[in-house]
Amino acid sequence: MALANAAQLGVADAIHRGGGEVSLDSLLAALSLPPSKLPCLGRVMRVLTASGIFAVADGGGGGYRLTPNADFLSIARAPILIQRLPCFTAVAAASRLLPH
């Protein structure tokens, strides 16, 4: 569930746009979420940090940074990732054959 939420919100892209490392408050603003969602976003980020998708920023200020595991969540880097993975290339090619 946390992974799906991060993908839908575009968390990896927001961190990437923030220079690869952002505070939770900056991430909340970058995602255009209301301040009342800060605790929820914090929980999602803690789960995904514990899972190795994101990492705690080196500065120790409670921020987050990208890891190589976050690449598949990034819309900006998805075309590169898809080209590198044959199974995704086959799925992408097949999906063009299906009616939308």
Side-chain angles (χ1 to χ4, degrees):
M1 187 64 80
L3 189 58
N5 289 333
Q8 289 174 343
L9 289 171
V11 171
D13 290 319
I15 295 173
H16 180 71
R17 284 191 306 270
E21 192 172 297
V22 296
S23 68
L24 191 58
D25 289 330
S26 297
L27 185 57
L28 185 80
L31 297 173
S32 301
L33 294 173
S36 63
K37 295 296 181 184
L38 185 66
C40 298
L41 182 60
R43 285 190 293 274
V44 166
M45 293 306 294
R46 282 192 300 276
V47 166
L48 295 176
T49 298
S51 301
I53 304 297
F54 300 108
V56 175
D58 296 329
Y64 297 93
R65 63 178 173 83
L66 297 172
T67 68
N69 295 329
D71 279 348
F72 73 94
L73 290 176
S74 174
I75 294 170
R77 291 185 298 258
I80 295 168
L81 183 64
I82 288 170
Q83 290 171 359
R84 291 182 184 168
L85 299 174
C87 61
F88 286 119
T89 304
V91 169
S95 68
R96 286 186 280 239
L97 301 174
L98 300 174
H100 294 285

